[in-house]
Amino acid sequence: MEEKNSRINKDEYYLEIAFAISKRSPCLRRRVGAILVKNDVILATGYNGPPRKTVNCDEIGCLKDLANAPHGEAWDLCPAVHAEENCITNAARQGTSVLGATLYISGEYLVNSPIEPAQICDRCKRILINAGIKDVVIRRKNGSIEKIDIRNWVEEEKEKYVKKFEELKEKRKENQ
């Protein structure tokens, strides 16, 4: 019996492209690549790394390593622009609307870490919400694919803000 031509699905296809883009990252800890897709067209790509025309970590070393900073923390030490941010920025540089697009993000750790290679930080979530991105598709450490509806992040943001507001309001009362 003949085997059918096995094609990967679209999510796998775009995640593989995002993973290939991650190989451009100069980061010594984690490489992440992202692509924005709308109507089956790649709008823009991005990977994590310092701003254009500045020094790259692979040229002189990692500030977070030097400070012995844990993974997923000490963002103030890292000069990198995240892959998601670079993807949105690259679209803007060429005048491309990303409204309603899907972001695919994939990556790898170059060192042992407890967090996911494609874990999206709160700052990037907010940027993606404001840019009008519809969905985010990521590959987990275990190889599984997760599709995230950005509307869930909007609700999380509301809840976090109200919770923090109430906590600070209560703390203020206690200190008076």
Side-chain angles (χ1 to χ4, degrees):
M1 181 172 227
E2 271 184 51
E3 276 189 39
K4 288 185 178 180
N5 181 12
S6 65
R7 294 175 64 189
I8 60 175
N9 66 41
K10 291 286 176 102
D11 287 343
E12 285 282 344
Y13 171 68
Y14 290 127
L15 284 169
E16 288 298 320
I17 294 170
F19 187 75
I21 290 163
S22 76
K23 300 292 187 184
R24 287 282 306 144
S25 171
C27 183
L28 301 174
R29 287 182 165 204
R30 177 170 72 163
R31 292 181 182 150
V32 181
I35 63 171
L36 281 164
V37 178
K38 186 174 179 182
N39 299 327
D40 242 354
V41 174
I42 297 172
L43 304 176
T45 67
Y47 54 85
N48 60 313
R52 285 176 168 85
K53 299 179 184 175
T54 64
V55 68
N56 287 316
C57 301
D58 63 353
E59 295 169 337
I60 65 167
C62 174
L63 287 174
K64 288 174 79 169
D65 282 347
L66 202 56
N68 206 21
H71 296 284
E73 296 177 29
W75 299 113
D76 55 321
L77 289 176
C78 183
V81 177
H82 294 181
E84 306 94 297
E85 294 170 312
N86 268 326
C87 206
I88 300 280
T89 302
N90 288 338
R93 286 172 63 101
Q94 57 188 346
T96 301
S97 171
V98 299
L99 194 61
T102 297
L103 179 88
Y104 290 84
I105 186 163
S106 185
E108 67 180 333
Y109 266 99
L110 304 177
V111 296
N112 192 21
S113 175
I115 64 174
E116 294 281 347
Q119 182 172 325
I120 299 172
C121 73
D122 287 343
R123 181 182 74 204
C124 287
K125 285 179 182 180
R126 292 176 190 127
I127 290 169
L128 295 171
I129 290 167
N130 278 357
I133 303 306
K134 184 178 81 174
D135 300 299
V136 173
V137 180
I138 61 174
R139 185 181 310 280
R140 295 280 181 204
K141 262 185 181 179
N142 66 8
S144 67
I145 295 173
E146 182 180 353
K147 188 171 196 167
I148 302 161
D149 184 332
I150 297 287
R151 291 176 296 190
N152 296 332
W153 289 347
V154 172
E155 291 307 311
E156 287 173 18
E157 280 295 314
K158 287 178 190 176
E159 290 169 15
K160 277 194 280 187
Y161 185 87
V162 169
K163 182 181 177 188
K164 190 67 172 173
F165 185 85
E166 292 302 324
E167 286 172 2
L168 291 174
K169 200 164 111 176
E170 189 61 34
K171 191 174 182 178
R172 189 174 191 184
K173 276 184 189 177
E174 290 171 8
N175 292 333
Q176 287 181 350

